[in-house]
Amino acid sequence: MILRRASIGEPPLDPVADAAAEAVVDIVGGATVELCYSPTGTVPPPTESERSQASATGKGPAGWDLTVVVTLGERIAHLVGTDERTSLADLLHELPKAAVRAVTQLRAHADGNMYVPVTPAVRRAVRDTVATELLSAYLRDRVSTVRADLVGETIEYLIELSGTRVESHDLTHGVVVADVLRDSPRLEFAYPADIRAAKRAPLLFDGQQSLLVIDPSGRARRELQRHRFEHFIATAAPSRVDALDLGESGSLVAAATKVLGGLGFFLRADRSIWTFVDGRPLLVRRSEHWTAFPLELSTSIGGMIGGGSVAALVTQAAIMISARPRGAILAIVENSSDLDAVVSVKDRYDLRNDIDPLAMRFETRLHHLIDADNLDEHTLVRLAMLDGATVLDRDGRLLAYGAIVSSADSEQEGARTAAARTLSETAM
């Protein structure tokens, strides 16, 4: 939701700020963005003082100052309601400042008539600029002085690569900006300017087997191979290098930001751009829109189901699944008996020993070959990627996988949506 108000009279027309507000709502779904205007030099309009809200003030249209206020939606607002620092709170803190900086930059470059609606091209530029400012702030918190245009140029290069094929390959590319190399390079390679001229560079640094390490000055320094982290950090034991298994969606880049610090970028073959900090995804660009990765997912799940060890397990699996082309249905129930009316016995892993072997169907026989008694996220992802629903109890025990859920047919919904709706009425 986007709101506009002024301390005196009607708020001025400000199409660039409107586009920035839309970009913020894209990033954090369900958020409310207020554009508050006050005459230049006067006190900004008052805002609520809530943990789920953050604001920043900067220049507005001629004669006005602009305050951008971002308020989280009710669904996730409680996740920043403590004194403990969280990644969602960090994102909320930076978002209004990034929006103000982006608007200030783009307003200066806009056509002289500020009252003309922005074009689609300008909207795309606003979205990318808001993301650039946000990611730059995260990078400045993690490394020394950063080249001012490094994040923006990197994003522009990855967008350029996303529409390119080299040697009949759909390109992937991975880079990490980190402050880990203190020596002076023998050769100067400016990133991405000098790399752009070498068409095979993305193939060499595909972000899956190898990535390119950039220093904060924007110099391409050397590659980091998946199996050679110790070349950068001598104490990088295997346990430190482990990261979420994101398939082809940047697990190497995620691991690099966990060990080396800094900010990571990964261009997927599907043309989406993933960014990482501290070993976790942060922002993802798909179809020219930026969205934040589901932050504090474990806390949210734990809160909804009232605790239990399953929250962390489902969180890890959900993050790993989200990086894959296909989705999955994951459900958590209080009691296994809750499934009796909606899931067939043949799909019930928990009932596999209760069925007469002579009457056992082939699907049930398979249950006896599956090692899921001590379920981990990798096994859960593998099972969840099958057609059908995967259901667990609050203690993380597997109850069903590949399950066909009995649900009323709906002309408005697909089979997956109908099944998920049915389970949502049964699950926690």
Side-chain angles (χ1 to χ4, degrees), residues 351-370:
L351 300 181
R352 65 194 184 283
N353 294 322
D354 298 342
I355 302 173
D356 181 353
L358 297 179
M360 199 174 288
R361 299 178 63 169
F362 285 109
E363 291 91 339
T364 306
R365 290 174 178 269
L366 285 176
H367 297 334
H368 291 267
L369 304 178
I370 300 298

Side-chain angles (χ1 to χ4, degrees), residues 349 352 366-373 379 382-383 398 401:
Y349 179 81
R352 65 194 184 283
L366 285 176
H367 297 334
H368 291 267
L369 304 178
I370 300 298
D371 182 10
D373 287 340
T379 302
R382 180 169 59 86
L383 298 176
L398 180 65
Y401 66 90

Side-chain angles (χ1 to χ4, degrees), residues 56-100:
T57 300
K59 292 183 61 176
W64 295 91
D65 287 335
L66 168 64
T67 299
V68 176
V69 183
V70 180
T71 306
L72 298 178
E74 293 183 2
R75 183 174 58 87
I76 59 173
H78 68 283
L79 300 179
V80 295
T82 68
D83 292 327
E84 182 180 354
R85 180 176 176 177
T86 65
S87 53
L88 180 58
D90 288 345
L91 180 67
L92 175 64
H93 177 71
E94 295 295 343
L95 265 174
K97 294 188 289 186
V100 166

Side-chain angles (χ1 to χ4, degrees), residues 141-213:
D141 284 344
R142 287 162 173 78
V143 301
S144 58
T145 304
V146 183
R147 197 184 82 198
D149 64 345
L150 179 56
V151 171
E153 289 290 335
T154 300
I155 291 173
E156 179 65 22
Y157 179 51
L158 295 178
I159 293 172
E160 177 186 314
L161 288 180
S162 70
T164 305
R165 289 170 62 88
V166 173
E167 298 177 358
S168 300
H169 293 281
D170 289 321
L171 290 179
T172 64
H173 185 50
V175 298
V176 169
V177 182
D179 194 9
V180 293
L181 296 172
R182 306 295 180 179
D183 59 311
S184 298
R186 179 169 176 266
L187 296 175
E188 294 273 344
F189 288 95
Y191 188 87
D194 292 340
I195 298 298
R196 183 180 275 114
K199 69 175 186 177
R200 291 186 177 179
L203 300 179
L204 288 172
F205 313 114
D206 64 358
Q208 299 176 63
Q209 300 304 317
S210 173
L211 57 80
L212 188 58
V213 177

